[in-house]
């Protein structure tokens, strides 16, 4: 194997980096792969190193990209634990046929709406606790509180507001957004038999508190006042 590969390299099929040539000469090319520098081959030549992490207009580096430009989980081991809170919202807009199905009769409407709100709430709470399983670079967190409020508002649609609290080293923005998103998806699943034209919209972070970044409040008002 080594002889055939060496012949192909020296025949000009592949460009040979200097460290590879040295190991070919010494006969140690396949003896200690871990000792060789990390080099990727693209069309027969060594690929250039990955770009440095991209920065936004504020000059703040993207925290999930290391100095070598590769993605990774942020090291929060040196951070202190603080109380962190995040609130997010979103809507499931319902077409006329879905609303009419829900409001078919008073008794049916009461039962359908209460059950719908309950299952969407449970789904949101479960999703917040599973965020690190769904979003690859999120840290697993021991959440202190997950409060999901689901409100059916007739022709306006289904509104979800989620608040997540933790005492930890990293924020819970993703947990709040995940809670809202999965709650709305659950609503879609529960109602899709009545119509497929429902639309999820306006999923966004309203507020976050705690941590090095301090407090963030969305510059625009909530799509619906929390009730």
């Amino acid at each position: 194997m080594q002889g055939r590969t060496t012949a192909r390299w020296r025949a000009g099929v592949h460009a040979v980096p200097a460290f590879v040539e040295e190991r070919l000469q010494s006969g140690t090319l396949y003896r200690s792969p871990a000792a060789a520098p990390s080099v990727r081959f693209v069309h027969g030549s060594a690929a250039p190193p990955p770009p440095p992490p991209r920065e936004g207009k504020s000059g703040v580096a993207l925290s999930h990209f290391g100095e070598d430009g590769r993605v990774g989980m942020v090291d929060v081991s040196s951070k202190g634990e603080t109380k962190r809170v995040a609130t997010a919202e979103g809507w499931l807009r319902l077409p006329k046929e879905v609303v009419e199905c829900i409001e078919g009769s008073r008794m049916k409407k009461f039962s359908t709406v209460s059950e719908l709100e309950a299952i969407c709430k449970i789904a949101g709470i479960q999703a917040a606790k599973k965020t690190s399983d769904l979003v690859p670079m999120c840290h697993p967190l021991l959440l202190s509180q997950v409060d999901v409020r689901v409100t059916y508002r007739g022709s306006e649609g289904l509104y979800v507001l989620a608040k997540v609290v933790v005492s930890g080293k990293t924020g819970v923005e993703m947990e709040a957004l995940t809670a809202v998103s999965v709650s709305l998806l659950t609503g879609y699943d529960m109602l899709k038999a009545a119509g497929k034209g429902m639309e999820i919209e306006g999923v966004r972070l309203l507020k976050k508190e705690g941590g090095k970044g301090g407090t963030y409040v969305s510059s625009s008002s909530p799509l619906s006042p929390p009730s």
Side-chain angles (χ1 to χ4, degrees), residues 192-207:
K192 67 181 184 295
K196 304 295 193 294
M198 295 173 286
E199 296 182 358
I200 292 174
E201 66 175 45
V203 177
R204 60 175 180 157
L205 181 70
L206 290 176
K207 185 177 182 181

Side-chain angles (χ1 to χ4, degrees), residues 144-168:
S144 303
Q145 180 191 22
V146 181
D147 181 15
V148 179
R149 302 184 184 185
V150 182
T151 309
Y152 169 72
R153 299 196 175 180
S155 59
E156 286 186 276
L158 194 69
Y159 176 72
V160 177
L161 180 72
K163 176 183 176 182
V164 182
V165 182
V166 73
S167 178

Side-chain angles (χ1 to χ4, degrees), residues 35-53:
S38 177
V39 174
R40 294 175 294 126
F41 292 91
V42 178
H43 299 300
S45 60

Side-chain angles (χ1 to χ4, degrees), residues 113-125:
V113 170
S114 60
E115 291 292 294
L116 175 65
E117 292 175 345
I119 193 62
C120 290
K121 176 176 181 174
I122 293 170
I125 293 172

Side-chain angles (χ1 to χ4, degrees), residues 215-226:
T215 299
Y216 163 84
V217 179
S218 175
S219 58
S220 53
S221 61
L223 296 178
S224 179

Side-chain angles (χ1 to χ4, degrees), residues 1-219:
M1 174 66 181
Q2 182 172 347
R4 291 198 301 272
T5 303
T6 302
R8 286 172 62 81
W9 272 334
R10 287 177 176 163
V13 177
H14 299 289
V16 184
F19 86 90
V20 175
E21 180 64 35
E22 292 174 0
R23 295 181 69 117
L24 283 170
Q25 295 294 337
S26 63
T28 60
L29 179 61
Y30 297 102
R31 293 181 186 176
S32 180
S38 177
V39 174
R40 294 175 294 126
F41 292 91
V42 178
H43 299 300
S45 60
R54 294 185 297 172
E55 296 184 351
K57 293 181 180 180
S58 63
V60 178
L62 299 173
S63 59
H64 282 294
F65 292 83
E67 293 182 358
D68 61 356
R70 300 182 189 280
V71 70
M73 183 179 284
V74 177
D75 182 0
V76 297
S77 58
S78 62
K79 292 185 177 182
E81 291 193 356
T82 60
K83 181 179 179 180
R84 299 163 184 264
V85 184
T87 305
E89 70 168 357
W91 278 94
L92 178 64
R93 299 298 185 183
L94 307 177
K96 182 179 179 180
E97 63 269 22
V98 175
V99 175
E100 290 177 348
C101 181
I102 293 173
E103 300 183 358
S105 67
R106 287 187 177 182
M107 183 59 69
K108 182 179 179 182
K109 175 184 175 182
F110 176 79
S111 175
T112 301
V113 170
S114 60
E115 291 292 294
L116 175 65
E117 292 175 345
I119 193 62
C120 290
K121 176 176 181 174
I122 293 170
I125 293 172
Q126 286 289 85
K129 295 187 291 183
K130 291 287 188 179
T131 299
S132 63
D133 292 337
L134 301 171
V135 185
M137 297 303 162
C138 281
H139 296 79
L141 299 174
L142 183 62
L143 302 179
S144 303
Q145 180 191 22
V146 181
D147 181 15
V148 179
R149 302 184 184 185
V150 182
T151 309
Y152 169 72
R153 299 196 175 180
S155 59
E156 286 186 276
L158 194 69
Y159 176 72
V160 177
L161 180 72
K163 176 183 176 182
V164 182
V165 182
V166 73
S167 178
K169 298 182 177 184
T170 187
V172 283
E173 297 96 310
M174 295 309 301
E175 283 70 15
L177 290 165
T178 299
V180 171
S181 300
V182 174
S183 183
L184 294 171
L185 285 169
T186 300
Y188 189 103
D189 180 51
M190 298 297 294
L191 299 172
K192 67 181 184 295
K196 304 295 193 294
M198 295 173 286
E199 296 182 358
I200 292 174
E201 66 175 45
V203 177
R204 60 175 180 157
L205 181 70
L206 290 176
K207 185 177 182 181
K208 62 84 66 175
E209 302 170 79
K212 184 179 179 180
T215 299
Y216 163 84
V217 179
S218 175
S219 58

